[in-house]
Every structure is written in C-alpha cells, then in structure tokens.
Amino acid sequence: MGIGLETCILFAREGANVLLSDISGPALEKALETLKSKVPDAKKLDTKITDVSKEADVEAMVKHVDSWGGLDVIFNNAGIMHADDADAIDTPEKIWDLTQAINVKGVWFGSKHAVLSFREHGKKKASVINTASVVALVGAATPQLAYTASKGAVLAMTRELAMVHAREGFRFNALCPAPLK
Ligand SMILES: NC(=O)c1ccc[n+]([C@@H]2O[C@H](COP(=O)([O-])OP(=O)(O)OC[C@H]3O[C@@H](n4cnc5c(N)ncnc54)[C@H](O)[C@@H]3O)[C@@H](O)[C@H]2O)c1
C-alpha cells in the first residue's frame, strides 16, 4: 500500500524489474493489478509474501530475484505504527517489541540479505533505501514512543551501514518523510 506501492510504480516506469513484497497476500494481488494498469509496458513484475520480522522470509524474498540477475536496489519500507503505541507510561511492552521487530529488525534483515546478495552477484554498485521518518529527527507531539524509537534506530543504522559498505559501492540512504496521506 501507500509509499511502497507508489515506489513500485515509479521503479516500473523507470524500466526496473520489480518484486513487490508485503505480509498481506490480498494486498499484494491488488497492488500488482494497480501496477499493471498504471504501467502497462512494465518489465518483469512479481509478488512475494514476506514478513520482514522473519529472517527466513527476507532471505527467500531476496533469493527470489537471483534468477533475474540478482538484486540491485532494495527498498526496506514496510513499517507499522500501532494504534496502542503511546507515551512512556502507557505503551504496552508487547507493542514496543512488535514495533521494533518489524520496523528495526526488518530493516536489519533487509540490509543484511541485500549485502549478501550484492556480494554473491559481484555487484559493484547497488543501493539500499530504508524508510525512517521525520520523527527520527524531531520526535512527535502525539505520543508514539515505540514508533519514534524505531525510526531513530533505522536512521542511525542506515548511517553506519553507509560508512561500512561505501568502499564496496553499496549506497545506503534513509528517507525521513513528514506525514503523508
Ligand atoms: N505515511 C506517513 O505519513 C509516513 C511518514 C513517515 C514515515 N512513514 C513510513 O513509511 C513506510 C510506509 O508507510 P505507509 O504510510 O505507506 O504505510 P502503509 O500502512 O500504507 O503500508 C505499510 C505496508 O507494510 C506492510 N507490513 C506491515 N507489517 C509487515 C511485515 N511484518 N512484513 C511485511 N510487510 C508488512 C503492510 O501490510 C502495508 O502494506 C513505513 O515504514 C512508515 O513508518 C510513513
């Protein structure tokens, strides 16, 4: 949905082969339909159900494009802001853990398997794009502490990955969008 689908449309328009991934199968089918109608001359398109908080799922997602020549760009964008996320007092621990598992661990797994794939396929140039948020920079006046902490982690992790992998030609960038529809 949202930013992920719009990004897939832009990548397809630019002539990329695009693998759409999401935890929801029905959402993926709908997204693929929309993508095909918006970009009728798109190249290779496929879908893969993936729970980004599960490393085996992320590994399988990345391996899915091995036969396409391997990964060139990964967009680690899946994320949640749970309705029960609140302030320091009222955020339930299970909501904290769920938010970090998807928003932070998911980005780590995506980055890890992207680097492994880039190396395996001998890529000299590749790109990892992680979605953080403006709240990573300035916080939020409406309490959503688990989400804000998770996006701070995504931004910090991306900065370090960018330095660690620069000499391999692998770029890491984080987006910090303000609220979008
Ligand atoms: N919309 C905004 O205002 C805004 C602002 C700043 C940052 N962001 C970030 O941008 C990203 C996309 O946001 P959006 O507004 O397009 O959200 P969205 O809810 O429209 O899309 C998020 C998608 O992630 C999927 N998802 C949820 N859990 C998953 C999991 N475990 N594994 C795989 N997929 C999973 C959902 O099914 C959904 O399709 C998120 O990381 C969000 O935090 C959004």
Side-chain angles (χ1 to χ4, degrees):
M1 302 200 298
I3 296 171
L5 176 56
E6 293 303 324
T7 304
C8 289
I9 292 168
L10 287 173
F11 270 93
R13 282 197 181 129
E14 291 289 329
N17 297 326
V18 182
L19 177 65
L20 296 82
S21 275
D22 199 277
I23 198 169
S24 160
L28 275 176
E29 288 317 307
K30 211 169 141 210
L32 185 61
E33 225 173 87
T34 307
L35 183 51
K36 282 181 174 163
S37 73
K38 297 230 172 189
V39 193
D41 59 346
K43 290 190 178 161
K44 215 186 296 272
L45 302 175
D46 207 350
T47 60
K48 179 103 179 129
I49 296 173
T50 306
D51 178 347
V52 297
S53 68
K54 307 262 184 314
E55 184 168 12
D57 276 26
V58 175
E59 185 176 9
M61 170 184 76
V62 172
K63 285 203 174 305
H64 190 89
V65 299
D66 274 354
S67 63
W68 301 6
L71 192 67
D72 295 293
V73 179
I74 192 166
F75 184 34
N76 294 312
N77 172 68
I80 60 158
M81 188 200 292
H82 200 280
D84 294 338
D85 197 352
D87 60 14
I89 317 301
D90 293 327
T91 301
E93 191 176 348
K94 70 171 197 292
I95 299 305
W96 178 277
D97 289 346
L98 177 69
T99 304
Q100 311 313 318
I102 296 171
N103 295 12
V104 185
K105 216 159 63 162
V107 171
W108 167 39
F109 290 151
S111 301
K112 171 179 173 178
H113 288 283
V115 167
L116 290 171
S117 173
F118 298 154
R119 287 179 179 162
E120 189 186 326
H121 290 271
K123 305 277 168 162
K124 298 290 171 229
K125 272 190 198 172
S127 173
V128 176
I129 306 156
N130 299 328
T131 307
S133 165
V134 70
V135 301
L137 301 167
V138 295
T142 34
Q144 40 170 43
L145 200 65
Y147 179 82
T148 298
S150 76
K151 293 303 185 178
V154 169
L155 183 57
M157 182 163 53
T158 306
R159 286 183 169 133
E160 179 163 314
L161 288 164
M163 290 189 281
V164 168
H165 297 288
R167 286 188 183 84
E168 293 180 272
F170 308 158
R171 295 183 301 118
F172 284 77
N173 288 282
L175 306 177
C176 292
L180 298 167
K181 213 171 157 189

